[in-house]
């Protein structure tokens, strides 16, 4: 009789331990989502406000560069905005997982959407990185000259905006691994 | 007695049905892997052999373009080669899954590695697509002129190589979904 009671209480404390760890994972999930929201928002805003007008004017043209002169940078801003919105919408689910650590189907839905968003963000950020790299280094065989000697501010801003995006990518990778661990522990 | 037997045989046939579907998924997995191998290999070879020398020579220089003049295209070839090698190495696992449809841990390992490779491939292919787009359209504010009027063959080749890569991306997405279905059916 005594033995049976002790086993039961042992199982109960084990179940609480499991719940505790899963709740910890869910809290970490919420924090990572907020980090990714800040990253994508910072990336979109930094790139979206990147513009520079050079202080000299020739007879016909004034030299200026803006993020929307480059289609890839426009895509980058749109992709970051989409992912920022998705992450904001996913926050209630994340909070729900903290309260109900046994929820299963909503976790599977989230891991699936997170993965799609990771691929989308990787695509936008990599394409922008390719153009930023070209802006810094130019390409001699295509006769594309580096524009960063003239447009220093614009280059710094567009390169800086990549940091937020790549930070959000790292957060999404961690989020997917965390969700997979939480699902496998159920 | 009769009832018990009929239930048992019913369960047995259900189990065989499950096995059959899982085996079908594994065969489809193998086919998709082969498609992705062909895609990445074709992408890497088409880009790696893209070069063009223009038929006129000025006093000092002969105009020519090669894939390795563009760092992004170099990256594209390397990424495609890595993923092609990974997929070739994953074929034995895929065949093992056809024979043993209940194997679980190796499926989880593969889904994890497939996801990493998908992100890597997306990154390489998107960066290359950004440069191909620029080569076709140029950019007026950066004074980067389109090079596709001169280097027509080179442009066609590099744009074509993207098709193989994006096809392999689609195959990897399907592979991950298939593996997830197979794991959840176990």
């Amino acid at each position: 009789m005594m033995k049976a009671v002790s086993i039961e209480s042992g199982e109960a404390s084990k179940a609480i331990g499991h719940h505790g760890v899963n709740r910890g994972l869910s809290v970490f999930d919420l924090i990572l989502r907020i980090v990714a929201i800040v990253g994508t928002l910072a990336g979109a805003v930094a790139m979206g406000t990147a513009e520079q007008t050079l202080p000299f004017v020739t007879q016909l043209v004034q030299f200026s560069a803006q993020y929307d002169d480059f289609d890839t940078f426009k895509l980058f801003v749109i992709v970051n905005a989409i992912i920022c919105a998705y992450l904001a919408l996913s926050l209630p689910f994340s909070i729900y997982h903290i309260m109900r650590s046994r929820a299963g189907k909503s976790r599977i839905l989230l891991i699936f959407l997170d993965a799609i968003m990771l691929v989308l963000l990787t695509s936008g950020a990599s394409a922008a990185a390719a153009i930023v790299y070209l802006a810094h280094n130019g390409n001699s065989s295509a006769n594309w000259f580096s524009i960063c000697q003239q447009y220093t501010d614009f280059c710094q801003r567009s390169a800086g905006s990549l940091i937020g995006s790549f930070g959000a990518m790292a957060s999404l990778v961690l989020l997917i691994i965390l969700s997979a661990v939480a699902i496998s522990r159920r």
Side-chain angles (χ1 to χ4, degrees), chain A residues 122-141:
Chain A
T122 306
S123 166
S126 303
I131 301 297
V132 167
Y133 179 83
L134 199 63
H136 274 92
N137 296 294
N139 185 291
S140 53
S141 33

Side-chain angles (χ1 to χ4, degrees), chain A residues 15-180:
Chain A
I16 290 167
H18 256 257
H19 268 259
V21 172
N22 265 10
R23 182 159 298 180
L25 287 179
S26 299
V27 171
F28 197 41
D29 181 289
L30 184 64
I31 295 170
L32 279 175
R33 274 177 208 281
I34 293 169
V35 169
I37 288 175
V38 172
T40 49
L41 191 66
V45 170
M47 183 68 90
T49 56
E51 56 174 328
Q52 191 179 2
T53 305
L54 294 187
F56 53 86
V57 183
T58 62
Q59 278 183 307
L60 289 167
V61 283
Q62 179 163 34
F63 291 98
S64 73
Q66 244 182 308
Y67 83 98
D68 60 359
D69 295 334
F70 297 84
D71 292 326
T72 313
F73 288 170
K74 249 194 274 186
L75 182 79
F76 177 86
V77 172
I78 294 167
V79 162
N80 272 280
I82 289 172
I83 286 155
C84 190
Y86 158 74
L87 286 167
L89 290 175
S90 76
L91 282 183
F93 285 92
S94 187
I95 292 166
Y96 173 74
H97 290 153
I98 294 176
M99 293 185 299
R100 300 227 169 164
S101 60
R102 288 203 159 268
K105 286 199 176 162
S106 55
R107 277 185 206 274
I108 291 172
L109 178 70
L110 267 196
I111 204 173
F112 192 70
L113 292 176
D114 283 351
I116 293 172
M117 294 297 156
L118 175 60
V119 170
L120 189 64
L121 185 59
T122 306
S123 166
S126 303
I131 301 297
V132 167
Y133 179 83
L134 199 63
H136 274 92
N137 296 294
N139 185 291
S140 53
S141 33
N143 256 326
W144 294 335
F145 297 106
S146 164
I147 58 166
C148 285
Q149 272 128 40
Q150 291 93 51
Y151 295 108
T152 44
D153 282 5
F154 179 74
C155 271
Q156 275 182 358
R157 191 63 88 84
S158 58
S161 71
L162 292 178
I163 296 169
S165 235
F166 278 94
M169 268 171 67
S171 302
L172 275 173
V173 170
L174 277 177
L175 272 174
I176 290 169
I177 294 171
L178 274 187
S179 298

